[in-house]
């Protein structure tokens, strides 16, 4: 409202000065003092925030990257293309995926452009893109600065990757062991220990367990209720974090679950004719996040546990994007940009069969499951604002 008042003041002044022989109204000679003060406060706050963001996010050539490397395990949110060569339908190496990526190339990233781990690597000054590990010809520099072992549609439930023939988290750890040996060949044992010890590790999984294995297939829901299934996932997550810690990780960002029931495909599958948010999926996500935070607190308090694990809450920011998207400039929050936006994902989101929206930046989701690059940027900015200082 203060900005509106100042604009009104200037417009009134222009009108008065434009009238021949009319002297300006003394009351319009200067803006109210309270408006000036409020504007100065707004500008000062915005400038301070910008300076903080620059300091936290951007690469400083004199000080170098904020971590030695970025090493990632998880699912499609952080998979840059490791599924491309697998005998699975869970792939994103075809248009329209990558439509806003470099040269409009579909790399296997499940979005129109960059994914969170690219943005994290950029923000920490490590590199512009975080590559996949599987089936990729990696340069020594790529290896030295980190990779992603993530595989779309995997999870902490050992059944989840089996159902869709993707890379299990256990196999991702074996790939890491291979990766470490390659680091030793390049840089030697001592330097390898420094690289791994100074790396930011990111673990992002669990959503596919809930959305796909529990609610879409009958394999788990007949034997587990939601609380007991969440315990299965949290137990798997703890075992995985212990394995990552044993491999030399000093700091791990552990990504929580989003509001699974409000994802477009889950609205379609469980939200009834109105495609409402499905409450049971969201209840599972909330319970998982609460239990995961308790588990992480226990690990961090455990004598002799050498790794700091930080829980990265994405439920809150994604819920805000979906419920109050207009605040961020989004006009569509319940459908994806690809096809009808209600069910199309991976093989169903294919330019040979479906079209895409005209204004992807107006959409929170690119397909019916994965956010757009613009939404990812907002999510990663929130992570940097709230958590990254604890991981440096």
């Amino acid at each position: 409202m203060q900005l509106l008042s100042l604009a009104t003041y200037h417009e009134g002044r222009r009108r008065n000065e434009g009238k021949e022989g009319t002297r300006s109204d003394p009351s319009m000679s200067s803006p109210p003092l309270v408006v000036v003060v409020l504007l100065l406060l707004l500008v000062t706050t915005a400038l301070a925030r910008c300076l903080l963001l620059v300091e936290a996010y951007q690469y400083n050539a004199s000080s170098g990257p904020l971590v030695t490397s970025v090493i990632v395990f998880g699912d499609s949110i952080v998979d840059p293309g490791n599924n491309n060569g697998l005998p699975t339908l869970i792939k994103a190496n075809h248009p329209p995926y990558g439509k806003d990526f470099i040269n409009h190339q579909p790399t296997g990233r499940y979005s129109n452009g960059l994914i969170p781990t690219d943005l994290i690597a950029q923000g920490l000054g490590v590199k512009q893109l975080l590559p996949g590990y599987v089936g990729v010809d990696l340069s020594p520099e790529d290896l030295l600065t980190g990779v992603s072992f993530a595989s779309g549609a995997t999870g902490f439930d050992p059944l989840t990757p089996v159902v869709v023939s993707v890379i299990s988290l256990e196999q991702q750890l074996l790939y890491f062991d291979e990766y470490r040996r390659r680091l030793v060949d390049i840089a030697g044992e001592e330097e390898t220990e420094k690289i791994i010890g100074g790396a930011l590790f990111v673990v992002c999984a669990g959503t596919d367990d809930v959305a796909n294995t529990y609610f879409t297939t009958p394999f788990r829901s007949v034997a587990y209720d939601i609380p007991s299934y969440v315990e299965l996932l949290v137990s798997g997550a703890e075992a995985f974090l212990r394995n990552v810690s044993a491999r030399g990780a000093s700091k791990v960002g552990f990504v929580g679950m989003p509001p699974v029931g409000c994802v477009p495909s889950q609205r379609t599958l469980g939200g009834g004719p109105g495609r409402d948010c499905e409450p049971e999926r969201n209840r599972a996500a909330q319970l998982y996040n609460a239990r995961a935070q308790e588990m992480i607190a226990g690990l961090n308090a455990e004598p002799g546990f050498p790794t700091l694990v930080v829980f990265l809450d994405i439920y809150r920011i994604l819920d805000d994007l979906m419920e109050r998207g207009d605040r961020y400039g989004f006009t569509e929050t319940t459908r994806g940009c690809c096809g009808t936006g209600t069910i199309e994902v991976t093989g169903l989101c294919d330019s040979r069969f479906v079209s895409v929206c005209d204004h992807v930046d107006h959409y929170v989701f690119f397909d019916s499951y994965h956010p757009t690059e613009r939404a990812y940027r907002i999510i990663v900015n929130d992570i940097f604002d709230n958590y990254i200082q604890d991981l440096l």
Side-chain angles (χ1 to χ4, degrees):
M1 292 302 293
Q2 290 82 5
L3 292 175
L4 179 61
S5 298
L6 189 58
T8 303
Y9 153 74
H10 282 301
E11 181 61 27
R13 185 170 183 176
R14 282 195 295 270
R15 286 199 301 267
N16 287 337
E17 290 177 349
K19 295 178 181 178
E20 185 176 349
T22 302
R23 187 175 179 178
S24 297
D25 186 341
S27 67
M28 300 295 287
S29 62
S30 61
L33 180 60
V34 66
V35 172
V36 174
V37 172
L38 287 171
L39 279 173
L40 287 173
L41 286 172
L42 285 171
V43 171
T44 302
T45 302
L47 179 60
R49 180 174 172 79
C50 287
L51 290 173
L52 285 171
L53 291 177
V54 167
E55 180 181 356
Y57 300 169
Q58 292 186 343
Y59 173 78
N60 185 310
S62 61
S63 62
L66 299 176
V67 295
T68 57
S69 58
V70 179
I71 298 172
V72 179
F73 303 94
D75 57 24
S76 58
I77 302 301
V78 291
D79 177 4
N82 287 315
N83 280 10
N84 290 354
L86 300 183
T88 179
L89 297 175
I90 313 301
K91 299 180 183 182
N93 58 343
H94 54 269
Y97 292 105
K99 68 181 291 293
D100 300 304
F101 193 76
I102 302 164
N103 297 325
H104 312 292
Q105 181 183 5
T107 59
R109 288 169 170 82
Y110 297 78
S111 189
N112 60 303
L114 303 180
I115 57 175
T117 39
D118 297 319
L119 301 172
I120 290 171
Q122 289 179 14
L124 295 174
V126 176
K127 51 187 170 185
Q128 291 300 303
L129 300 172
L130 193 75
Y133 181 77
V134 181
V136 182
D137 185 15
L138 296 166
S139 69
E141 179 62 23
D142 284 329
L143 292 168
L144 290 169
T145 51
V147 296
S148 173
F149 303 100
S151 176
T154 200
F156 292 119
D157 181 346
L159 181 61
T160 297
V162 174
V163 171
V164 286
S165 301
V166 297
I167 304 167
S168 67
L169 287 166
E170 181 181 7
Q171 179 61 51
Q172 291 181 35
L173 285 172
L174 295 178
Y175 281 135
F176 172 83
D177 294 340
E178 178 185 90
Y179 161 77
R180 192 189 189 285
R181 291 192 292 271
R182 294 174 70 179
L183 281 184
V184 172
D185 290 341
I186 295 169
E189 178 63 35
E190 183 177 349
E191 188 63 25
T192 294
E193 289 182 6
K194 291 179 181 178
I195 291 169
I196 292 173
L200 171 63
F201 283 71
V202 177
V203 177
C204 177
T207 303
D208 289 291
D209 295 313
V210 169
N212 298 333
T213 306
Y214 189 82
F215 281 101
T216 304
T217 75
F219 303 125
R220 291 301 196 192
S221 57
V222 295
Y224 295 85
D225 60 11
I226 288 175
S228 60
Y229 189 65
V230 164
E231 289 305 312
L232 174 72
L233 299 184
V234 173
S235 175
E238 179 178 355
F240 187 79
L241 287 172
R242 290 186 182 278
N243 277 319
V244 170
S245 175
R247 285 164 166 80
S250 62
K251 294 185 178 180
V252 179
F254 184 92
V255 182
M257 275 193 208
V260 181
C262 297
V263 170
S265 64
Q266 303 307 297
R267 287 175 177 267
T268 302
L269 294 172
R275 297 185 63 253
D276 300 317
C277 290
E278 199 285 303
E280 288 301 286
R281 288 164 169 84
N282 282 351
R283 182 168 77 90
Q286 291 167 340
L287 181 58
Y288 170 85
N289 287 340
R291 286 289 297 114
Q293 289 178 78
E294 292 172 0
M295 176 269 290
I296 288 169
L299 287 177
N300 288 332
E302 183 178 299
F305 186 73
T307 304
L308 173 66
V309 183
V310 176
F311 181 83
L312 308 179
D313 175 22
I314 62 169
Y315 192 106
R316 170 185 45 79
I317 183 63
L318 256 172
D319 184 62
D320 205 42
L321 288 177
M322 290 186 278
E323 293 297 320
R324 290 165 286 277
D326 57 318
R327 296 182 181 179
Y328 301 87
F330 294 109
T331 58
E332 179 53 73
T333 64
T334 67
R335 297 172 183 266
C337 173
C338 184
T340 66
T342 59
I343 201 67
E344 293 87 348
V345 64
T346 62
L348 295 177
C349 179
D350 190 317
S351 291
R352 294 175 297 174
F353 315 118
V354 298
S355 59
V356 293
C357 63
D358 292 329
H359 303 290
V360 65
D361 282 349
H362 295 176
Y363 285 67
V364 173
F365 291 91
F366 183 62
D367 60 20
S368 68
Y369 198 82
H370 304 96
T372 58
E373 179 184 320
R374 181 164 176 263
Y376 276 144
R377 286 186 179 276
I378 294 170
I379 295 165
V380 171
N381 283 347
D382 187 79
I383 289 173
F384 271 76
D385 283 345
N386 293 289
Y387 308 108
I388 206 69
Q389 65 273 14
D390 296 326
L391 289 165
L392 298 179

